[in-house]
Amino acid sequence: MAPDKNLIPKIRDGASSAAERKVASVILEGYPVRALGTVGALAQRASVSAPTVLRFLARIGFPRFADFQAAVVADVERHMGSPLHKLGQQDDAASSDHIYHRTLLMQAAALRAAAAQAVVGEFDMIADLLADPRLSVKVLGGRYSQVLARRLSMQLGQIRPGVVLVQQEVGFTYDMLVDAGPRDLCVFFDYRRYQPELLTFAAAARAAGARICLLTDTWRSPIAEHAEAVLTSPDASPSPFGSRVVATAQVEALVAAVTHRIRDEARTRLARIEDLRKLDRKDGTE
């Protein structure tokens, strides 16, 4: 089979349903390795059925799974042999002696990888849900991802009402589940090591009818099984704690997208916040 020079865009843009978007995301997150596994492994990781995987591949021009894998192999061979790829490897090796320089380059590469593998339909689904005024938003994070949850909730709360950061104190978290229902959107940040209590909360919230979105790493938190849409981020860093540079950029992009969707409401709300701040300064309490 001749190399398909448009293979990655074809995967990224070919999905026509939420289930197919999950398949495309899983393939691109671990490209090319995941594409060279089995249909069953892809289906399991994407939390879809094997026929869904095959329907998606047929839609983008591969009637057999073997045809798709042959195209992936050809694509890898083409890239590995290109002078540009080899030159890029040499440049990276020559400029990465110092850990500071190397770390910055790794983050830049991670951002490029995240942009290349992004299935924008997943991003748009999350942005649409966050912008929906009928939904109350609950944001949850883990031990190291709580800072991301806080960032999203603080910024989102300035442009729309009904945003709550769910803290992780024992007992309090589960109180929030009592009234959970279809008018709730729960946004989770969960990265390895995944936190069991977040999965418990997600499963119970989903069972109550709440909508679930997830930001996670490319290994995918188990919460993905309950989520309508998932954004993943490469985790490349010399730090033992991993990197959340891409995840932070994803938060910024979501806030920007929601602001664009509810521009007038956001402008009115921000103006009101500024008016309240002026009152505070006038009273001499700031």
Side-chain angles (χ1 to χ4, degrees):
M1 176 179 292
D4 187 337
K5 295 184 179 181
N6 297 308
L7 181 57
I8 289 180
K10 187 179 292 187
I11 298 169
R12 186 181 59 220
D13 303 330
S16 64
S17 68
E20 290 183 355
R21 287 199 304 269
K22 290 182 179 181
V23 177
S25 295
V26 164
I27 292 172
L28 293 175
E29 288 159 10
Y31 188 86
V33 175
R34 289 180 186 169
L36 299 176
T38 66
V39 174
L42 274 177
Q44 182 177 19
R45 188 172 287 273
S47 301
V48 301
S49 67
T52 297
V53 175
L54 296 174
R55 280 196 300 270
F56 169 65
L57 296 179
R59 183 187 302 280
I60 62 175
F62 302 101
R64 299 184 307 152
F65 191 59
D67 295 333
F68 172 66
Q69 291 190 318
V72 171
V73 170
D75 184 58
V76 171
E77 289 176 344
R78 179 171 60 86
H79 279 89
M80 291 299 291
S82 73
L84 183 61
H85 175 78
K86 293 178 180 178
L87 181 61
Q89 288 181 319
Q90 293 169 1
D91 288 344
D92 289 345
S95 61
S96 60
D97 292 336
H98 194 283
I99 190 168
Y100 178 61
H101 201 182
R102 188 166 69 250
T103 300
L104 295 181
L105 288 172
M106 289 176 70
Q107 302 316 315
L111 286 165
R112 287 196 297 270
Q117 73 187 28
V119 177
V120 295
E122 291 287 272
F123 175 89
D124 287 339
M125 170 67 78
I126 298 177
D128 288 342
L129 289 170
L130 289 173
D132 190 336
R134 298 168 298 181
L135 296 175
S136 297
V137 180
K138 294 179 173 65
V139 189
L140 301 90
R143 181 180 179 187
Y144 291 111
S145 57
Q146 183 77 1
V147 64
L148 293 167
R150 185 178 299 276
R151 188 182 188 95
L152 177 63
S153 63
M154 288 181 64
Q155 294 185 353
L156 198 63
Q158 292 191 61
I159 60 174
R160 60 150 292 170
V163 181
V164 176
L165 174 67
V166 179
Q167 304 287 353
Q168 291 296 302
E169 288 87 354
V170 176
F172 175 74
T173 299
Y174 298 101
D175 291 348
M176 304 288 288
L177 286 169
V178 174
D179 300 316
R183 289 187 175 274
D184 288 309
L185 169 65
C186 296
V187 182
F188 291 87
F189 293 84
D190 194 26
Y191 305 84
R192 295 196 305 179
R193 300 177 173 178
Y194 307 124
Q195 295 194 221
E197 62 270 26
L198 290 180
L199 176 58
T200 299
F201 190 104
R206 187 71 189 93
R211 318 286 291 272
I212 307 291
C213 294
L214 171 67
L215 283 82
T216 186
D217 48 39
T218 54
W219 292 274
R220 293 196 160 217
S221 159
I223 295 172
E225 182 178 351
H226 305 286
E228 292 185 47
V230 180
L231 285 183
T232 63
S233 56
D235 182 7
S237 172
S239 165
F241 303 104
S243 170
R244 297 293 172 260
V245 170
V246 174
T248 301
Q250 289 172 332
V251 169
E252 299 298 328
L254 284 170
V255 172
V258 174
T259 303
H260 179 75
R261 283 163 168 75
I262 57 170
R263 185 181 303 274
D264 291 340
E265 296 89 337
R267 184 183 293 113
T268 299
R269 187 172 176 84
L270 287 170
R272 178 58 179 156
I273 291 173
E274 287 302 313
D275 288 341
L276 292 171
R277 286 176 177 164
K278 290 176 183 177
L279 289 174
D280 193 30
R281 287 193 295 268
K282 187 176 181 180
D283 292 339
T285 56
E286 183 173 312

